[in-house]
Amino acid sequence: MSDKGISGVRAALRCVAPSILSAFTALTACLVTPLTAQSTGLTIYNDGRILVRRTFPLNLPSGASEQRVPLGSYDPATVFSLDSAVTIVGAVYDGALDETSAMRRAVGQRIVFRTSPTDTVSATVVSAEPERFRLADGRVLFARPGQPAFPAEVVPAEPVTRLALRTSGARKELRLGYFTSGAAWEASYEVVLGRAGAQTMARVTGAAVITSQTLAADSAEVQLLAGAVSRAQAPQPPPRPVARAEAFAAKAPSAEAAEQRVGEFHLYTLAGRTTLVPGTTTSVALFAPASAAVDRAYVVPGELPYWGFVPQQGDETEVPVQVSYTVKRPRKTAFGEKPLPAGVARLFQPDSAGRVQLIGEAAVDHTPAGEDLKLDAGTAFDLTARRVQTSYSTRRDSTAAHGIRTVVTADYRVSLTNATDSAATVEVREQRTGEWSVLSSSVPAERVSSTLVKFRVPVPARGSATLTYRIRAAW
């Protein structure tokens, strides 16, 4: 290229530089757009869906009109009007903010390419798929001549939606609802054990923990919906811009969430307005600290296969003694009347100096009011169990009702040892489907259901106990 041509290109670059700078600034600023409309409401679901309700100050004429609305990244199939007088006739959503999309929008335009730190060349974008570029002398390239610098008009500041509306009367605002993603929540419970005479008691606190990955919201009304709301299809996440630092800071909620039942689910409304910043976690109390009675249980899981062949077994083996705590929640008590959203519960117990220590952590399902909270805490240290099969026999059996089948009879011995200073009751379980029964046992067998049998074995302090039982199973 001649010196005169190069000078011309540099002059052209100086002319478009403000546009390039504007485009670059817009691109970096769009990366997460906070929801800052006059009125923003969010309902965050357990599965990560977010229902957004926003009010935009727009002058809507009566009749048909087209509006450009900056909704950010969202699922374009879900946008709907919150005003019965406004109908969305059609919508076009352009959510792509990447370089390929910018190149597609630039088809037919002349843009500047940087070929080195000091040199540039301009070319017209002929097509984007495949990419073709026409130089000033008419030659066509199938590869980019350099790094493109796009005009601002082909790099939107944020995803934009064009709405075709029909309004029955003039309006000064547009109220819309739609779904997006970028945040999730779950409940977190702390259960601190203590004593009240002979009864173990617990102080229970609960909080909703909101994690914002990419969602930014400034002074929004935030609600949390607890429950498994059905979904028609697998979620298709909207385009995810890269997060940028926001000019606003998140504030901790100052009051407990208010709970109400909506449909078949429970809704928690955070007090006041909440600001969510990408990369931050916000928590709010679900209820005032509550006191509840607690029962502890020791369980030895069963040995029998749940279905099919019952095998012959060899040496004695050690089996875990599982520890669980049941937090009582009877009706007509403050804690018992509260529904508990799914989350994680952590059990704590003070040591001899009063310092609380973690002694268990368990997942909690959605728990309706009046239902006890069962928390698995792990495996006991000072209670041990060993199980051995002491006899085993099989025979073939033929009946008109069942045809030819196998019948097994087996004896088992469970040896329990207690190294603590307190007596304990250990619950030994066997569970199996199909035809089976306990023929005899040294401790009474409690038939809980058609598949589950329990043996409650008392074990003295610093002592041991033995359970023996015989089962019969057919398959």
Side-chain angles (χ1 to χ4, degrees), residues 193-324:
L193 302 180
R195 301 289 296 182
Q199 176 65 56
T200 300
M201 299 295 292
R203 182 179 184 270
V204 185
T205 58
V209 180
I210 309 166
T211 303
S212 175
Q213 295 92 20
T214 59
L215 180 70
D218 188 12
S219 299
E221 178 190 55
V222 175
Q223 297 176 293
L224 312 172
L225 191 133
V229 180
S230 62
R231 197 165 199 156
Q233 58 185 4
Q236 298 294 326
R240 290 290 186 85
V242 180
R244 69 175 173 89
E246 297 300 331
F248 50 85
K251 297 180 180 179
S254 58
E256 299 160 7
E259 182 269 334
Q260 62 177 298
R261 191 170 186 267
V262 177
E264 298 304 317
F265 310 101
H266 288 272
L267 185 69
Y268 297 84
T269 302
L270 277 57
R273 294 275 169 172
T274 302
T275 295
L276 300 177
V277 178
T280 63
T281 300
T282 304
S283 65
V284 59
L286 290 173
F287 50 82
S291 180
V294 177
D295 290 339
R296 180 177 57 193
Y298 300 106
V299 176
V300 173
E303 179 73 14
L304 295 175
Y306 189 69
W307 60 275
F309 175 68
V310 176
Q312 185 174 15
Q313 295 167 323
D315 295 339
E316 184 178 54
T317 58
E318 186 167 351
V319 289
V321 179
Q322 299 168 347
V323 186
S324 67

Side-chain angles (χ1 to χ4, degrees), residues 55-421:
T55 301
F56 297 87
L58 291 173
N59 290 318
L60 303 181
S62 180
S65 67
E66 181 175 303
Q67 305 291 333
R68 292 173 59 89
V69 186
L71 299 182
S73 297
Y74 73 105
D75 182 351
T78 63
V79 64
F80 61 99
S81 173
L82 295 173
D83 187 342
S84 60
V86 178
T87 301
I88 299 177
V89 179
V92 176
Y93 171 68
D94 188 353
L97 303 174
D98 55 282
E99 187 178 57
T100 300
S101 300
M103 188 66 73
R104 190 179 299 114
R105 297 186 192 101
V107 171
Q109 298 188 40
R110 179 171 291 276
I111 63 174
V112 174
F113 294 85
R114 184 172 294 279
T115 58
S116 72
T118 57
D119 294 324
T120 61
V121 64
S122 64
T124 300
V125 182
V126 178
S127 67
E129 296 176 1
E131 290 188 353
R132 291 180 296 162
F133 307 95
R134 181 182 296 110
L135 299 176
D137 60 6
R139 290 177 298 171
V140 175
L141 301 177
F142 281 87
R144 297 181 184 182
Q147 180 63 37
F150 295 101
E153 60 268 20
V154 301
V155 185
E158 65 171 310
V160 172
T161 299
R162 298 198 310 273
L163 297 176
L165 305 176
R166 184 167 57 244
T167 309
S168 61
R171 290 285 192 274
K172 292 186 177 181
E173 63 183 24
L174 175 62
R175 297 168 51 227
L176 296 175
Y178 53 90
F179 279 90
T180 187
S181 59
W185 80 280
E186 70 171 4
S188 176
Y189 303 97
E190 281 68 48
V191 181
V192 181
L193 302 180
R195 301 289 296 182
Q199 176 65 56
T200 300
M201 299 295 292
R203 182 179 184 270
V204 185
T205 58
V209 180
I210 309 166
T211 303
S212 175
Q213 295 92 20
T214 59
L215 180 70
D218 188 12
S219 299
E221 178 190 55
V222 175
Q223 297 176 293
L224 312 172
L225 191 133
V229 180
S230 62
R231 197 165 199 156
Q233 58 185 4
Q236 298 294 326
R240 290 290 186 85
V242 180
R244 69 175 173 89
E246 297 300 331
F248 50 85
K251 297 180 180 179
S254 58
E256 299 160 7
E259 182 269 334
Q260 62 177 298
R261 191 170 186 267
V262 177
E264 298 304 317
F265 310 101
H266 288 272
L267 185 69
Y268 297 84
T269 302
L270 277 57
R273 294 275 169 172
T274 302
T275 295
L276 300 177
V277 178
T280 63
T281 300
T282 304
S283 65
V284 59
L286 290 173
F287 50 82
S291 180
V294 177
D295 290 339
R296 180 177 57 193
Y298 300 106
V299 176
V300 173
E303 179 73 14
L304 295 175
Y306 189 69
W307 60 275
F309 175 68
V310 176
Q312 185 174 15
Q313 295 167 323
D315 295 339
E316 184 178 54
T317 58
E318 186 167 351
V319 289
V321 179
Q322 299 168 347
V323 186
S324 67
Y325 293 83
T326 300
V327 182
K328 299 296 185 178
R329 292 178 3 98
R331 283 286 196 174
K332 298 182 181 180
T333 62
F335 188 43
E337 291 293 333
K338 297 184 182 299
L340 302 180
V344 175
R346 296 171 181 84
L347 280 158
F348 298 89
Q349 186 169 347
D351 61 19
S352 58
R355 298 166 296 219
V356 294
Q357 307 293 342
L358 179 69
I359 62 167
E361 184 174 281
V364 175
D365 291 330
H366 295 301
T367 306
E371 186 172 310
D372 293 341
L373 199 61
K374 183 178 178 182
L375 307 175
D376 296 326
T379 303
F381 189 103
D382 292 317
L383 284 167
T384 57
R386 300 186 68 84
R387 178 189 270 115
V388 64
Q389 188 184 73
T390 57
S391 74
Y392 180 86
S393 65
T394 63
R395 63 183 175 85
R396 303 290 283 177
D397 183 40
S398 178
T399 65
H402 300 97
I404 299 175
R405 59 180 184 166
T406 300
V407 178
V408 66
T409 302
D411 287 280
Y412 296 90
R413 182 179 69 241
V414 179
S415 302
L416 302 168
T417 303
N418 180 5
T420 71
D421 294 328

